[in-house]
Amino acid sequence: MTSTYQRIVLASRPQGQVAADNFRLETLAIPEISEGEVLIRNHFLSLDPYMRGRMEDAKSYAAPQAIDETMIGGTVGEVIASKNPRFAVGDKVLGMLGWTEVGVSDGVLMRKLDTTHIPLSAYLGAVGMPGLTAWYGLTQIMQPKSGETVVVSAASGAVGSVVGQLAKQMGCRVVGIAGGAEKCAYVVKELGFDACVDYKAGQLHADLTAATPDGIDAVFENVGGEIFDASLARMNPFGRIALCGMISGYNGEQISIKNARTFLTMRLTLRGFIVSEHMDLWPQGLQELGAQVASGKLKFRESVAEGIASAPDAFIGLLKGKNFGKQLVKLI
Amino acid sequence: MTSTYQRIVLASRPQGQVAADNFRLETLAIPEISEGEVLIRNHFLSLDPYMRGRMEDAKSYAAPQAIDETMIGGTVGEVIASKNPRFAVGDKVLGMLGWTEVGVSDGVLMRKLDTTHIPLSAYLGAVGMPGLTAWYGLTQIMQPKSGETVVVSAASGAVGSVVGQLAKQMGCRVVGIAGGAEKCAYVVKELGFDACVDYKAGQLHADLTAATPDGIDAVFENVGGEIFDASLARMNPFGRIALCGMISGYNGEQISIKNARTFLTMRLTLRGFIVSEHMDLWPQGLQELGAQVASGKLKFRESVAEGIASAPDAFIGLLKGKNFGKQLVKLI
């Protein structure tokens, strides 16, 4: 075992698009742990769109990521030293250690993972925060009935793919929106959505209209902007919208809703949410998602970058939609 | 009694702003009534912003107003002939007879009114559809707690004035938005709001910020556009928005929401609603509003135009915010 490890810190806040020089790779000595602490070697880092928001110094639901500190983020890894009676060397654990090969925890927010039937990386995706985000928005906000039409943007992603598969199980007509023919084919053929609209094909409104002949009853929105406006234009009366993300505006542009009148004319309900504020429902959600992944009923796909140095480029690609499924960084 | 009456029909759909020549005054013979019918002479017509939407031939929550037919609208009047056992000559009644001096009804949607303690015209305002709209949005959507800050646009109007007074009774800090110093003075001094921002004073954002030092927890939105964006910029986490109207776009302009990202960052809930779709709650709401008006606890103000020929100009003025309180037409 080497005596050093690498991490990535936020070097500067982005001006518009995130650039590689907003990050800095550092090499540090592996620390000694104190009584009560655990030393963890991470196997996978999670890269998620919400991190873009944290890079800003703006009023939002969470404090900004500090400059010169390890980039935040979910991690799964293995205990390599422990002075905490709750954890033993070899335990697989979920944490929020950030973009780092090695981290120290007091154990309070660490959770032991069972990898007998669920792969370790899935705890960062379908059986983790993204899966819970999908489950919460669908079951608590959208509440679709059998036969209703559900639309999901960023449909091939870590969140959208779970929303659509769960909605299919509820008997809904499920239409995805994704970028490119390959992602759309995956969404329909592998995930079982009824249709998928390729927003890059240049006829978003016409294609979405064709895919939603009975209008739209519920939307899971990850993107915002033009894509959200296209869904709004198809809403049925009393439609429900779970607003999860607005990745189209993560480079700092203002995001407008142009079809605002639709909220009134169609009597829509829109709710923005952050799943980490609803921890009371996590046990129920994780139990359901875990059972479905273990049985193979819930499918998921990963984009895996290799090595901690690849994290910034992988994250920049994620913001541009270059990932295909849950974006991870595998540490060697 | 004369043998003729006058009514106003929709002559043409507006191109942009409503103009006087979109309407036509007609004189007709008072009809004979058949078995089961009632003949009513109207005393007051209600003019309401929703009528602007009906003049369009666009997809909305209600069918468009037909050309060459009597303009729709709520009315209060008196039975002058009856072949219906439920109604006697002299009964005061609420109906939807439209912009007409005289109307015939089968009685199904007519409601007998008690004017012992409540003036007849109030059944078109604070104890009618506008009052119920206020009551529903506040109690069913905004659900403010004591100590929270509530903002109401079009605060001196038939709906906004009720929202604010009820919210004050619930222990909230209540801030109105209205056009002009006179309306703002009325909202604070007569209705008892804590503050009122005059959007015509040219510093909407700064004035609203000063009036909401603890941010905004709940909004009753009647206007949309720039005024709604100003409120959005002040929202606290988990804020609730009852979307009742977007009068700023009633001339056909597209209404955008520029601060859309706030829905996500502040985890807001927005709901558009039409009170006529919640008839199950009308008895409860009307009982509460009626008791408050009868006791003088709930104040209201009316702008009264005289004579049916004045209705088009009064309606055009309403759309421009020239009314001050509930806009009525008194028939002679």
Side-chain angles (χ1 to χ4, degrees):
Chain A
M1 186 173 143
T2 61
S3 61
T4 62
Y5 72 99
Q6 293 190 302
R7 68 169 187 171
I8 286 172
V9 300
L10 182 65
S12 61
R13 302 202 186 280
Q15 306 295 320
Q17 295 203 4
V18 176
D21 65 5
N22 295 132
F23 304 98
R24 187 175 64 244
L25 184 68
E26 293 184 346
T27 301
L28 291 92
I30 292 178
E32 293 293 315
I33 54 173
S34 307
E35 203 56 42
E37 288 184 336
V38 186
L39 189 68
I40 296 130
R41 176 166 293 280
N42 286 328
H43 289 322
F44 290 95
L45 313 180
S46 180
L47 298 182
D48 301 276
Y50 77 83
M51 296 166 177
R52 178 62 184 86
R54 302 290 181 89
M55 294 173 78
E56 297 281 332
D57 194 8
K59 189 181 173 192
S60 185
Y61 50 82
Q65 158 80 42
I67 297 280
D68 293 334
E69 293 291 335
T70 307
M71 272 295 293
I72 50 148
T75 51
V76 286
E78 190 171 343
V79 174
I80 54 174
S82 178
K83 292 187 179 176
N84 182 316
R86 286 180 52 232
F87 296 93
V89 170
D91 280 352
K92 301 292 194 300
V93 288
L94 175 77
M96 281 291 288
L97 297 174
W99 298 13
T100 179
E101 292 176 321
V102 165
V104 175
S105 167
D106 63 5
V108 173
L109 293 176
M110 303 298 294
R111 190 159 63 87
K112 269 194 261 194
L113 302 174
D114 181 350
T115 55
T116 315
H117 299 292
I118 298 172
L120 186 61
S121 62
Y123 287 103
L124 294 175
V127 194
M129 192 266 289
L132 278 167
T133 299
W135 179 87
Y136 182 89
L138 185 71
T139 64
Q140 306 301 305
I141 300 175
M142 296 161 70
Q143 302 181 350
K145 297 180 199 69
S146 178
E148 287 192 329
T149 297
V150 167
V151 166
V152 189
S153 60
S156 70
V159 177
S161 61
V162 175
V163 173
Q165 291 179 84
L166 296 182
K168 277 303 294 178
Q169 295 173 13
M170 295 167 88
C172 300
R173 174 173 176 80
V174 179
V175 177
I177 302 176
E182 190 188 0
K183 286 182 180 173
C184 280
Y186 166 74
V187 163
V188 173
K189 289 178 192 158
E190 296 295 321
L191 301 182
F193 286 37
D194 295 287
C196 188
V197 171
D198 174 9
Y199 70 82
K200 291 183 175 170
Q203 44 181 8
L204 175 59
H205 281 264
D207 290 346
L208 188 61
T209 299
T212 58
D214 300 326
I216 301 173
D217 301 294
V219 169
F220 194 102
E221 187 55 50
N222 286 307
V223 177
E226 187 191 355
I227 287 174
F228 185 34
D229 271 321
S231 290
L232 279 176
R234 296 289 303 154
M235 292 302 289
N236 289 329
F238 309 111
R240 291 84 60 198
I241 299 156
L243 182 63
C244 170
M246 289 189 152
I247 197 170
S248 67
Y250 278 170
N251 288 324
E253 312 91 323
Q254 189 177 57
I255 303 200
S256 289
I257 297 173
K258 290 186 181 150
N259 281 332
R261 200 171 174 173
T262 308
F263 291 119
L264 184 60
T265 56
M266 292 294 136
R267 295 86 81 204
L268 307 181
T269 299
L270 167 80
R271 186 145 79 82
F273 74 105
I274 308 293
V275 75
S276 55
E277 293 176 331
H278 306 281
M279 299 284 281
D280 53 315
L281 292 169
W282 281 45
Q284 181 190 350
L286 284 174
Q287 195 277 329
E288 290 182 28
L289 294 164
Q292 291 214 24
V293 165
S295 71
K297 197 174 172 190
L298 189 66
K299 295 176 184 171
F300 61 93
R301 181 172 174 135
E302 297 170 341
S303 279
V304 183
E306 303 259 340
I308 188 142
S310 71
D313 279 352
F315 180 63
I316 291 166
L318 170 72
L319 295 177
K320 294 178 177 167
K322 289 187 178 169
N323 62 307
F324 192 162
K326 171 66 194 170
Q327 181 67 57
L328 300 168
V329 178
K330 186 178 182 186
L331 302 180
I332 308 126
Chain B
M1 186 173 141
T2 61
S3 61
T4 62
Y5 72 100
Q6 292 190 302
R7 68 169 186 172
I8 286 170
V9 300
L10 182 65
S12 60
R13 301 202 186 280
Q15 307 295 320
Q17 294 202 3
V18 177
D21 64 5
N22 295 132
F23 304 98
R24 189 175 62 244
L25 183 67
E26 294 185 344
T27 302
L28 291 92
I30 291 179
E32 293 294 315
I33 54 172
S34 307
E35 203 54 43
E37 288 184 336
V38 186
L39 189 68
I40 297 130
R41 177 166 293 280
N42 287 327
H43 289 323
F44 290 96
L45 313 180
S46 179
L47 298 182
D48 301 276
Y50 77 83
M51 296 167 176
R52 178 62 184 85
R54 302 290 180 91
M55 294 174 78
E56 297 281 331
D57 194 8
K59 189 180 174 191
S60 187
Y61 50 82
Q65 158 79 41
I67 298 281
D68 293 334
E69 294 289 333
T70 306
M71 271 294 294
I72 51 148
T75 51
V76 287
E78 190 172 343
V79 174
I80 53 173
S82 178
K83 293 188 179 175
N84 183 316
R86 287 179 52 231
F87 296 92
V89 170
D91 281 352
K92 301 290 195 301
V93 287
L94 175 77
M96 281 291 288
L97 296 174
W99 298 13
T100 179
E101 292 177 320
V102 166
V104 175
S105 167
D106 62 6
V108 174
L109 293 176
M110 302 299 293
R111 189 158 65 86
K112 270 194 259 194
L113 301 175
D114 181 351
T115 56
T116 315
H117 300 291
I118 298 171
L120 186 62
S121 63
Y123 287 104
L124 294 175
V127 194
M129 193 267 290
L132 278 167
T133 298
W135 179 87
Y136 182 88
L138 185 71
T139 64
Q140 306 299 306
I141 299 175
M142 296 160 70
Q143 301 181 349
K145 295 179 200 68
S146 178
E148 287 192 328
T149 297
V150 167
V151 166
V152 190
S153 59
S156 69
V159 177
S161 61
V162 176
V163 173
Q165 290 179 86
L166 296 182
K168 276 304 294 178
Q169 294 174 15
M170 296 166 87
C172 300
R173 174 173 175 80
V174 178
V175 177
I177 302 176
E182 192 189 0
K183 286 182 181 174
C184 280
Y186 166 73
V187 162
V188 172
K189 290 176 191 158
E190 295 295 319
L191 301 182
F193 287 36
D194 295 286
C196 187
V197 172
D198 174 9
Y199 70 84
K200 291 183 176 170
Q203 44 182 7
L204 175 58
H205 281 265
D207 289 347
L208 188 61
T209 299
T212 59
D214 299 326
I216 301 172
D217 300 294
V219 170
F220 194 103
E221 187 54 49
N222 285 307
V223 178
E226 187 191 355
I227 287 175
F228 185 34
D229 271 320
S231 290
L232 279 176
R234 296 289 304 154
M235 293 302 291
N236 289 328
F238 309 110
R240 291 83 59 198
I241 299 155
L243 182 63
C244 170
M246 288 189 151
I247 197 170
S248 67
Y250 278 171
N251 288 324
E253 313 90 323
Q254 188 177 56
I255 303 198
S256 289
I257 297 173
K258 289 185 181 152
N259 281 332
R261 200 170 173 174
T262 309
F263 290 118
L264 183 61
T265 56
M266 291 295 137
R267 295 86 83 205
L268 307 180
T269 298
L270 166 80
R271 186 145 80 82
F273 73 105
I274 308 293
V275 75
S276 55
E277 293 177 331
H278 305 281
M279 300 283 282
D280 53 315
L281 292 169
W282 281 46
Q284 182 190 350
L286 285 174
Q287 196 278 329
E288 291 182 27
L289 294 164
Q292 292 214 24
V293 166
S295 71
K297 196 174 173 192
L298 189 66
K299 295 177 184 172
F300 61 94
R301 180 172 175 136
E302 297 169 342
S303 279
V304 183
E306 303 259 340
I308 186 138
S310 71
D313 279 352
F315 180 62
I316 291 166
L318 171 71
L319 295 176
K320 293 177 178 166
K322 289 188 180 168
N323 62 306
F324 191 162
K326 171 66 194 171
Q327 181 66 57
L328 299 168
V329 178
K330 185 177 182 185
L331 303 180
I332 309 125

